[in-house]
Amino acid sequence: MALFNWAFARRHGGQFLLRIEDTDQARSTGESEQVIFDALRWLNLDWDEGPDVGGPHGPYRQSERREIYARYSEKLVSGGHAFPCFCSKERLDQVRSAQQAAKQTTRYDGHCLNLAPDDVSARLSAGETHVIRMCVPDEGECTFKDELRGEITIPYSQVDMQVLVKSDGMPTYHLAVVVDDHLMGITHILRGEEWVTSVPKHKLLYEYLGWQMPVLIHLPLLRNPDQSKLSKRKNPTSVTYYRDEGFLPEALLNYLGLMGYSMPDEREIFSKQDMLEVFDESRISVGAPIFDPVKLAWLNGQYLRAMDADEYAARVASWMLNKERLSALVPLVQERAEKLSDLMPLVDYLVGARKALSEEDFQHKSLERKDVVQVLHHTLAEFDKQRSWERDELFELCQKMAQHLDLKFRDFLFPLFIAISGRSVSLPLFDSLIFLGADLSRWTLVDNALTRNFAFDDFVAAFAFMTKVALLAEKADHHPSWHNVYNTVKISLNTHDAGNTVTDKDIALATDINACIA
């Protein structure tokens, strides 16, 4: 998305703004923000305004614009275009369940829309927990134009009365993005096609506030080779992963440029500047581009072979032998090495030379196969949720998981040692995880262990989500059906562990659970 936005702005003499959309405080951290900066800088995609460079439209972090959003939410409420909603989570869950049972579109039922003004004032004065929702017409439809897809029509019966301000006072994406795009003078919006169904909400907000909506261009989403939406479980999705694996920024940009776009002369290898000089948004395809790591590796190889020997050596040095990486390696190897040539055998797995593993490599006298599976899946699930990547935090997290699985800590760590290093004795595991970083560590677990050696059917894969199911089951008062789901899966898994045949019903259940929880 960033590449096409950058190319569009530069081609048309516009400004490219970097805005940090961090209204989800639980997911947004200083570390995640820095990852964005680092990735864009590594790709050489420069911006004209942003939180680090300033500009006339700041602040550029949505978390710092809370008072601005509050003014416009109040304006929407006073104008009759939004309203306070006091509905509890329990009530909303019941409404949603009833709609699902009736095979209806799940949406807010307007319960608080027509509350008496005196009642609303009294409840607000009492400090009752509430959100602010937008009004949506009861009937009719919304028609809008997408520059690539033409006119699109969505009935209002399919549009939810979206929450605009959460109970903690923070705006949702929908209010923040409309306010920011207007106040920052955004004329064209290039974003993923998954936002097409949100346009009616945004169009209404523009109309309610008396503003003109920017031109819309919804870009196609990248797909895995099996046509599923690109996800980190099937392909690495982080730019920093490709940087750390030794891909070149110009090769990755070139490949991303091929995703949904073609040069007028149909060539496959082109620079960022080549693309900029002829960029025409009408050449963007709405088809689902396939992200193929093999094709990317081939393209990266073309760039490497086009270099002279001096440039190639300089790139290798800047990637692997730079002072920062060596400084991180030295403490790990200095006390273990007897000569300088010991360096590479000790750190080979940290710089790309990872042994191809088989299931036999994970065999352990104290662990059954299902134990190994649980360790790998639970660890990956928990690593996916980590917003920071610190040694002590990872150590404590693994200790808790070992206790949860009723395993000795040393036994719990064994499959992780194997998956990360390819051997049972290696440099300290948690130091290795820190050196590799979050993205490379996660993908090593996926690619080197789970995908290659423990790629079971949907039924067994459902076990990866058992912790999440258990958490939902704890909320039985809110979700009584989850007790049945949890117990049924436990029974089915015990049956499977006993060596009995997994039935089609079991697999169907597991598939449904995967779909619900993923």
Side-chain angles (χ1 to χ4, degrees), residues 371-513:
D371 297 323
V372 174
V373 170
Q374 290 181 59
V375 168
L376 294 172
H377 274 292
H378 278 62
T379 301
L380 180 59
E382 292 301 316
F383 280 4
D384 279 346
K385 293 187 289 187
Q386 286 296 108
R387 297 302 162 196
S388 62
W389 199 252
E390 302 292 338
R391 187 188 189 282
D392 291 345
E393 290 182 13
L394 297 178
F395 184 88
E396 183 178 352
L397 177 65
C398 287
Q399 279 189 319
K400 290 180 179 178
M401 285 190 286
Q403 294 172 2
H404 173 73
L405 295 175
D406 196 24
L407 294 174
K408 293 180 179 179
F409 192 45
R410 176 180 294 182
D411 294 341
F412 175 89
L413 294 181
F414 174 78
L416 302 183
F417 270 106
I418 297 298
I420 295 297
S421 69
R423 49 198 188 222
S424 57
V425 178
S426 68
L427 297 175
L429 173 64
F430 295 99
D431 291 326
S432 298
L433 292 173
I434 295 303
F435 181 85
L436 289 172
D439 297 312
L440 203 47
S441 296
R442 291 170 183 141
W443 182 247
T444 301
L445 285 177
V446 171
D447 186 53
N448 213 25
L450 296 174
T451 302
R452 295 179 186 273
N453 300 296
F454 298 101
F456 0 114
D457 56 32
D458 287 336
F459 171 75
V460 183
F463 203 92
F465 300 101
M466 284 297 291
T467 301
K468 294 180 182 179
V469 175
L471 290 174
L472 287 170
E474 289 176 3
K475 302 176 181 178
D477 292 340
H478 304 166
H479 304 277
S481 62
W482 281 107
H483 264 322
N484 295 332
V485 172
Y486 181 55
N487 290 330
T488 303
V489 174
K490 283 177 62 179
I491 293 170
S492 297
L493 285 168
N494 289 337
T495 300
H496 181 68
D497 292 340
N500 295 329
T501 302
V502 179
T503 68
D504 290 341
K505 183 178 179 181
D506 291 330
I507 295 176
L509 171 66
T511 303
D512 289 342
I513 293 172

Side-chain angles (χ1 to χ4, degrees), residues 18 75 102 125 184 207 219 251 257 298 314 350 478:
L18 176 59
K75 183 176 181 179
S125 298
M184 294 182 179
E207 292 172 356
L219 304 173
W298 171 85
L350 297 177
H478 304 166

Side-chain angles (χ1 to χ4, degrees), residues 8 11 15 47 66 97 110 200 206 208 244 257 260 263 274 284 291 337 347 385 424 458 475:
F8 183 91
R11 177 64 174 167
Q15 301 289 298
W47 52 96
R66 186 166 173 167
S97 297
Y206 278 106
Y208 292 159
D244 295 344
M263 295 287 280
D274 292 337
I284 299 175
F291 188 91
V347 305
K385 293 187 289 187
S424 57
D458 287 336
K475 302 176 181 178

Side-chain angles (χ1 to χ4, degrees), residues 246-259:
F247 286 87
L248 303 175
E250 57 267 42
L252 182 57
L253 272 180
N254 186 162
Y255 189 68
L256 293 175
L258 291 170
M259 297 289 94

Side-chain angles (χ1 to χ4, degrees), residues 288-353:
I290 301 298
F291 188 91
D292 183 359
V294 175
K295 178 68 176 290
L296 171 58
W298 171 85
L299 187 63
N300 198 69
Q302 301 304 306
Y303 276 85
L304 291 175
R305 284 184 278 280
M307 297 176 178
D308 61 36
D310 289 342
E311 183 181 2
Y312 184 88
R315 291 295 189 104
V316 171
S318 67
W319 170 70
M320 185 177 70
L321 303 177
N322 63 75
K323 185 177 180 180
E324 183 180 356
R325 284 173 70 87
L326 283 176
S327 296
L329 282 176
V330 166
L332 302 182
V333 302
Q334 192 170 6
E335 297 300 322
R336 296 171 174 82
E338 296 182 347
K339 51 187 181 299
L340 294 177
S341 59
D342 289 338
L343 174 67
M344 288 311 297
L346 285 170
V347 305
D348 56 353
Y349 68 95
L350 297 177
V351 293

